[in-house]
Every structure is written in structure tokens, then in C-alpha cells.
Amino acid sequence: MAYFRITLIRSAIGLPKRTNAVLDALGLRKRMRTVYHPVTPDIAGQILKVKELVAVSEVDRALSIQEQRERRRPDPGLRNVVFALFILRCSRATWRQLSLRGVIGTLQDVVLAVRRTLYGVVLRAPGVRSQVQNQIAASITKIEAKLIPQGPGVTRYLTLPKEGWSESQVRAELDKLAEMDHTKWEEGYVSGAVYHGGKELTTLQTEAYGKFAVANPLHPDVFPGVRKMEAEVVAMVLALFHAPPDAAGLTTSGGTESILMACYGARQKAYTERGITKPEMILPETAHTAFHKACAYFNIHMHIIPCPAPDYKVSIPIVKQLINSNTILIVGSAPNFPHGIIDDIPSLSQLAFHKNIPLHVDCCLGSFIIAFLERAGFESTAFDFQVPGVTSISCDTHKYGFAPKGNSTLLYRTKDLRAYQYFFSPNWTGGVYASPSMAGSRPGALIAACWASLMSQGESGYLESCRTIIKATKRIESAIRESPTLSADLSVIGRPIVSVVAFTSLTLDIYDIADAMGAKGWHLNALQNPPAIHIAVTIPTAAATDRLLADLTDVVATEREKERMRVAEGRSKKGAAKGDTAALYGVAGSLPNKTVVVELAKGFLDTLYKA
């Protein structure tokens, strides 16, 4: 007798209920079941009926699917509107790019973007990637060897001692740590970094710190003295920058936090008042990188404006072109960190005031120097709240205010502007919570030491330090411009009027000069775009000006002789960079993709936390 084979998935093909009896009779009413059954005439007829029903069901199902597809198909009119909006958005972005960079500049940007992408692909290639990783690892090993103490006399404490040390043991170890080999900042060999007001001031700060070591401004009722000192510090700095009666401010942990909070407050203001959800910020390329950090943290789009030679100030026409409905903040520096140049704040103010956009002036570096320039008898320029469009100012009291590190201020033209950076949590189970800035708990001891610094220096002390520092700065600038030995190869960037002098060279490798100065014990700041070096003058540096200029003259003469020997030997005029600074910045400037530099920086940061 013949047999037939049939596999049915009834739920998948949607057979009607009337076929259930047939399937039951054949023993086929099971999902995913293959059965074999003898063929009889009755069964053959029933099978034909089932097949017809299945075929009809399949047709119905196909029609149903087609109807559903038709219903899901977007309306052609709506599709055209979406496409038009996409084209409009692309056109606006293209027009903005063209207005900023022009046709040639835009093409250059496209070529650079392609180069970056291709270079990144090459770096990820198996053979190349392994070589690059090996070189990065070798460089990081050098960094570790330089920063991490080595040798048989080094003891590492990786766990708590079983028994607490005596005070004499702790003091002895602290003395050893303080005496570790380091750059001689006490003798003025460091550019910036240590803004020292003298040993007497340090002693006073230490005493103030000790009196308020456990104080926390988060609890003003517990530590009323800290609250009073903090409010007075803010009031003193507001007065220095000619704030109006309704002005307000607060203290922060440093310039970066001051800048972060200024950007956050501007973003919240734009969202609250104008509903801006895609905020944009306009800043000079020389503005402090803390603004870049703020944009990364708070999802703000940056427009970075060139600062062209010869004055190296932000380009006002380009700023004007880029202002749009999403602009939440315009930034200017007084002065900027790289070159010590003050941007054209009055012109930025006119744009900001006319467009009703906040203008932040970064005075973190200038701080108490720029505030006293005019009174000390030096050239100055309008930059503070006397300029109508300026809405906020950041000022580091731990720089030329000589307060201990961890002190800065953020000033606002009005109390309402300050309120946008506040944080409130009224429904927290731990109680109503409010804080003025990033931190919750803060060290009241630092506030006390800052207050002690300002009160002990007074206007007369800051005027005297301003004169000392600016005179030394002008002497360095004049030597580079006028000395026959230095002026032949070095040139000052722009026309600085505060405490920073930046210089470059068209005839020598400026990074080789930086390395050679480092070999003589100097810790100067290497810059890029363009390659340069800067020195931020402090009171210790001012006392070492003679030594600085003598060493710089010697280094330049030596590097010039090396160049002469290269030419005499038939080699290229500029030799390959050999030193650490030259290797880092020379390579960084030549690479379209900065992945390698980022990896090196990551390795450096990791090294800081290796015990």
C-alpha cells in the first residue's frame, strides 16, 4: 500500500477551523510534526480538500501582507517634506562652513578630514598597528622612568601600615618626599606653575589652613567664619574688576571649574529663556582648553575662531559671521595662556550686547596682574565689567593673588546670571540639597588661606608685585626683540602687555631650544600652532631673569652653530628633532590624525597613578 508524507505548521499558515476535524481524523493536528499514513481513497479526497484550503489560506495571507505594506508605506508628500528639510539642513551647514573658511578653506578642511581618516585606517592596519603600539609603549616606559622613583633606596607603601606611624616617622618621610629631585621652582626656573608670594606668606597660609583644617562650607551654620571669608573674597575680587552693584560671584577649585560653570550657566540660561537644545559656543583658538572640556562635558558645539598674525587676537569678522540662533556664549581671553595676548574685548562686547548673547572673559591667568596694570603705571586695555557686554569673568586667586592652589573665582554681572549654575534637589530622601557649583563638600581651609593671602597683601602688595613682574616681562621681551644674538633667530608672538612672553623661530627648531633650556634646568612651556615657547613670569622668575636670558642666549648660539655645521656637511638646514619636547610636538604637528598623541597622553595620565 502507498504512503504519503506531510508536514504541517497550522499556526503559521492560518488554516480555518473547519479543517480541524480532517486533521484530527488523520492524526495531523500537531505543530511541526511529520507523519506517514497509508493512502486510501477517502483519505486522498480529504487531503485534496485540505490542500485547497491551505492554498486559499496562503492567498488570503499574501493579500493581507500586501495591504499592511501599503498602509505602512509613507505618504509621498511627507517623504518629500522630510527630504526637503534634510537638504535645507545640509545647505545651511555648508553655507556656514563656506562663510567661515571660504571655498579654498573648506576644500582644505575636506582634504584634512580625508587625510585624518586614511591615516587612522593605516594606523589600524595589523603590521603598522603593532609597530606603533611598540613605539608608544617605549615612550611610555621613558615617561615612567622619569616620573616614578627607581632604585634600591625607594620604598613603596601600597597598603596601610599594620600599626600607625609616630609623628616623627611621618615628618621624616614627608621631608624625604619634599627633597626628591625636582625642577628648581624656588629659584625661578619654572614658567608659571608656582605663583609664590614669599616664605612669610606661605607660613601665614599654613597657619590659616591649620585653623580651619576640618571646615566645610557645605555647612555654613557649623563653620560661620568660612562662610564670611568666602563671601568677602568674592566681594574683594568683584571690586577689582569694577563690578556693578547687583553683581555676584562665587569661589571654585580652580580656573577649569570656573570656566566649566560659566559655560554650564550660559547653557542653562539659553535653555530656560530661549529653549535652545543644540547650544553653540564661539571661542578663539587660543582660549584655554577648559572651554573644550566644558563643551565635551555639557554637549555644546564649538566654533573655534582663528587668531591670525600679526596681533594674534581673535578675528572679529569671523565671530560676527558665526553668531546664530543657537549661540549661547562668546568667549574672550585677557590674556590667553599660549601667547599672553588680550583679545579685543570691546569689539566682542559690541557683538554680544547687540545680539543679547553672554560674553565671558577669561582672566584666570591675568588675575591680579591685569587688574592692577593701569594703577601700576603700565599700558592696559578695557576688559572687565566696565565693558557693557561682559557678563561673566573667571579670575584665579591662586595665581597672581598668591593664594594656595585650589582657589579661583567666577564673577557675574547680576545675581540672576549666577543662579543659572546652581543645582537644587528638593525631593531627595536625604533632605533638600543645594550647591552653587560642581563640588558638594569643599575645603574651608583653602578659603581661609586665600582670605589670609588677600588681606596680607592688600592693594600695596599687589601693586608692588605687578610692577616687579611686568618689568621683568618687558625686559625679556625687549631682549628677544633687540639683542643681536636673540633677535637674529627668535621673534616674539604678538605684542603682550601682561606677564607672558611667547617666542618662535623661523631659522631654528624651537623645540630643540626648549629641550636645550630643559637641560640647563629650565621648565618652559612648549606651544604648537605655531611652534613656540612661552614663559609666564612670576616673582621667583623675575628674580632669575638675568640667568634666564644668559642661558637662552647660550642655547640659541649653540643651536645656530649646529645648524651651520649641518649646512657645511651638506645636510638639510634643520636637523631631525632629538629631544623629548621636539619628539612630541614635532611629530604631533606633522600628524593629521592625533591618535598617537592621545595614546601618549593617556599613558602619561596612567603613569601619574602608578605607586
Side-chain angles (χ1 to χ4, degrees):
M1 181 179 289
Y3 285 79
F4 70 90
R5 177 178 180 275
I6 181 167
T7 302
L8 294 176
I9 309 176
R10 188 171 64 84
S11 61
I13 61 175
L15 293 176
K17 293 181 179 179
R18 61 186 174 178
T19 63
N20 290 347
V22 176
L23 295 175
D24 287 337
L26 294 175
L28 301 178
R29 194 179 178 188
K30 296 181 179 179
R31 270 185 89 202
M32 296 295 294
R33 178 74 182 271
T34 300
V35 297
Y36 297 86
H37 205 286
V39 178
T40 64
D42 292 340
I43 291 177
Q46 293 174 0
I47 290 173
L48 289 175
K49 291 181 180 179
V50 170
K51 286 183 177 180
E52 290 175 359
L53 290 172
V54 170
V56 172
S57 178
E58 287 292 338
V59 172
D60 291 342
R61 180 170 177 268
L63 291 174
S64 176
I65 292 173
Q66 182 65 24
E67 290 175 356
Q68 291 176 9
R69 287 176 178 172
E70 290 293 337
R71 285 197 297 268
R72 285 198 298 264
R73 185 174 296 170
D75 179 69
L78 178 61
R79 186 168 53 191
N80 292 337
V81 170
V82 172
F83 180 73
L85 291 174
F86 173 77
I87 295 297
L88 177 62
R89 182 177 181 179
C90 293
S91 300
R92 290 182 61 187
T94 303
W95 172 253
R96 186 179 300 171
Q97 174 68 16
L98 289 171
S99 66
L100 170 63
R101 298 281 288 150
V103 176
I104 296 177
T106 299
L107 291 176
Q108 290 174 340
D109 291 343
V110 171
V111 171
L112 180 59
V114 172
R115 286 182 61 204
R116 286 173 178 167
T117 302
L118 293 178
Y119 192 83
V121 172
V122 171
L123 287 179
R124 290 190 295 271
V128 177
R129 180 175 177 79
S130 60
Q131 294 183 21
V132 170
Q133 290 299 322
N134 289 337
Q135 293 179 6
I136 291 174
S139 298
I140 293 174
T141 300
K142 288 179 63 179
I143 294 173
E144 291 177 355
K146 184 176 181 180
L147 294 180
I148 301 175
Q150 307 289 337
V154 176
T155 304
R156 290 179 169 80
Y157 305 102
L158 306 181
T159 60
L160 287 171
K162 295 297 183 183
E163 297 293 336
W165 286 9
S166 65
E167 291 185 6
S168 59
Q169 283 179 294
V170 174
R171 290 192 180 97
E173 189 65 21
L174 288 173
D175 289 339
K176 287 174 58 179
L177 293 169
E179 292 169 3
M180 287 177 63
D181 187 31
H182 63 279
T183 305
K184 303 172 183 176
W185 66 263
E186 302 93 337
E187 299 177 21
Y189 278 72
V190 176
S191 167
V194 182
Y195 298 85
H196 192 44
K199 292 182 178 179
E200 294 80 6
L201 180 58
T202 301
T203 301
L204 178 62
Q205 291 169 345
T206 304
E207 184 178 343
Y209 193 102
K211 287 183 180 294
F212 294 90
V214 300
N216 183 357
L218 189 64
H219 306 286
D221 53 336
V222 181
F223 305 104
V226 171
R227 188 219 63 80
K228 180 176 183 293
M229 286 186 287
E230 182 174 27
E232 290 174 353
V233 166
V234 171
M236 291 181 216
V237 182
L238 282 169
L240 279 181
F241 289 89
H242 302 97
D246 190 43
L250 68 160
T251 67
T252 68
S253 62
T256 293
E257 188 184 1
S258 292
I259 289 171
L260 288 175
M261 297 316 301
C263 297
Y264 176 77
R267 191 195 75 167
Q268 295 305 101
K269 178 179 186 296
Y271 176 76
T272 302
E273 297 182 358
R274 296 189 283 149
I276 301 299
T277 57
K278 294 183 178 180
E280 300 180 8
M281 184 193 305
I282 300 176
L283 65 153
E285 62 181 349
T286 53
H288 197 278
T289 193
F291 290 101
H292 297 229
K293 182 185 284 190
C295 290
Y297 282 2
F298 305 134
N299 196 27
I300 302 171
H301 178 71
M302 283 189 300
H303 291 292
I304 300 177
I305 312 302
C307 301
D311 60 4
Y312 293 90
K313 297 182 180 182
V314 65
S315 173
I316 301 300
I318 296 180
V319 172
K320 183 177 181 180
Q321 290 174 357
L322 285 175
I323 294 175
N324 61 79
S325 58
N326 286 329
T327 303
I328 65 163
L329 186 67
I330 299 173
V331 175
S333 303
N336 63 50
F337 173 83
H339 310 142
I341 303 297
I342 301 174
D343 287 317
D344 187 352
I345 304 301
S347 295
L348 291 175
S349 169
Q350 290 181 359
L351 292 176
F353 192 81
H354 178 70
K355 297 290 186 177
N356 194 27
I357 297 172
L359 170 61
H360 180 81
V361 178
D362 178 23
C363 292
C364 285
L365 177 58
S367 60
F368 283 34
I369 290 290
I370 192 171
F372 282 94
L373 271 181
E374 188 174 0
R375 277 187 275 179
F378 298 107
E379 176 187 359
S380 185
T381 183
F383 68 94
D384 61 11
F385 287 119
Q386 293 181 101
V387 183
V390 175
T391 54
S392 59
I393 296 174
S394 49
C395 170
D396 282 357
T397 45
H398 68 199
K399 285 193 172 70
Y400 293 108
F402 307 132
K405 281 295 181 182
N407 280 288
S408 180
T409 56
L410 176 55
L411 316 175
Y412 288 100
R413 182 173 286 276
T414 68
K415 293 182 178 67
D416 290 340
L417 289 172
R418 180 180 61 180
Y420 284 110
Q421 75 164 64
Y422 287 169
F423 174 79
F424 304 100
S425 181
N427 299 318
W428 181 40
T429 55
V432 176
Y433 180 90
S435 66
S437 57
M438 288 283 189
S441 294
R442 293 179 290 137
L446 284 177
I447 294 172
C450 177
W451 182 89
S453 303
L454 270 58
M455 296 301 289
S456 67
Q457 292 293 296
E459 289 190 5
S460 60
Y462 289 120
L463 278 169
E464 181 182 353
S465 63
C466 179
R467 293 189 180 102
T468 300
I469 290 168
I470 297 301
K471 285 178 181 177
T473 305
K474 291 187 176 298
R475 187 179 169 201
I476 295 170
E477 179 189 0
S478 298
I480 295 173
R481 292 188 189 276
E482 300 169 7
S483 167
T485 304
L486 297 178
S487 62
D489 295 291
L490 305 181
S491 58
V492 176
I493 292 179
R495 199 173 72 84
I497 65 172
V498 194
S499 58
V500 174
V501 179
F503 53 92
T504 186
S505 177
L506 298 177
T507 58
L508 303 175
D509 190 322
I510 196 68
Y511 299 134
D512 284 341
I513 293 175
D515 284 325
M517 290 294 286
K520 288 181 175 289
W522 292 93
H523 188 283
L524 306 181
N525 296 93
L527 312 174
Q528 56 183 341
N529 306 321
I533 302 171
H534 96 200
I535 180 165
V537 180
T538 61
I539 288 181
T541 308
T545 301
D546 290 339
R547 180 65 180 274
L548 170 69
L549 292 175
D551 285 349
L552 184 59
T553 300
D554 181 58
V555 164
V556 170
T558 301
E559 292 300 319
R560 186 188 304 119
E561 179 62 18
K562 289 180 181 178
E563 291 296 301
R564 190 190 66 79
M565 292 297 294
R566 291 188 186 101
V567 174
E569 294 171 1
R571 292 183 289 168
S572 60
K573 188 172 182 182
K574 282 194 175 184
K578 299 294 194 302
D580 294 338
T581 303
L584 175 61
Y585 286 98
V587 171
S590 64
L591 297 179
N593 187 304
K594 307 296 183 183
T595 303
V596 174
V597 180
V598 171
E599 287 296 319
L600 288 172
K602 180 182 176 183
F604 169 78
L605 294 177
D606 288 342
T607 300
L608 300 181
Y609 297 96
K610 287 191 175 182

